[in-house]
Amino acid sequence: MATDEVRKDLRAAVAARQELGPEYEAELIDSFLEKLDARAAQVPVAAPAKPVKESRESDPGGLALAIVSVVMGIPITAIAATQEGTIAVIVCWGGLVGINLARSISRIAGRPDYRRR
């Protein structure tokens, strides 16, 4: 284990310092630090993690809104057509399209990469 080797080297450096005296202390410390640097250079450096690419539809609320809009649009169309006619159908579907469009625009404006453009 690398930690055991470092401890062994440190003990040897301390023992050598005790034998040689304080006049060789700087050289012993430099030698020990060089060994640590060499050991650190041998350790492989992990590659930086690739950023996780966000899926196209990370928020399923958009799909749910589209499905609900179509499902609700059917009875709304039937009611509007029988009660008021073509203009009411156009207004109802315009409202459903507007809701979906507003949600899409707010979602696009909220993305971090949109603001950089």
Side-chain angles (χ1 to χ4, degrees):
M1 184 175 190
T3 306
D4 293 335
E5 293 175 15
V6 172
R7 286 182 183 162
K8 185 178 170 183
D9 288 344
L10 181 59
R11 286 187 182 121
V14 169
R17 194 265 185 215
Q18 289 173 348
E19 288 179 20
L20 297 174
E23 58 271 359
Y24 291 104
E25 185 173 334
E27 289 82 8
L28 290 170
I29 290 173
D30 289 340
S31 172
F32 178 72
L33 291 176
E34 287 175 8
K35 288 179 184 179
L36 281 179
D37 289 340
R39 193 168 283 128
Q42 293 174 351
V43 175
V45 177
K50 293 182 180 179
V52 177
K53 187 174 182 180
E54 192 174 321
S55 68
R56 244 182 109 189
E57 186 61 50
S58 62
D59 180 19
L63 179 61
L65 180 62
I67 292 171
V68 169
S69 295
V70 171
V71 169
M72 294 307 294
I74 295 169
I76 289 173
T77 300
I79 294 169
T82 57
Q83 298 294 322
E84 298 298 325
T86 307
I87 299 296
V89 172
I90 293 171
V91 169
C92 291
W93 277 99
L96 291 172
V97 168
I99 290 170
N100 284 281
L101 187 62
R103 189 210 183 274
S104 295
I105 290 171
S106 68
R107 184 159 185 263
I108 289 172
R111 286 193 311 198
D113 62 341
Y114 177 76
R115 292 188 187 122
R116 287 187 220 142
R117 292 182 188 168

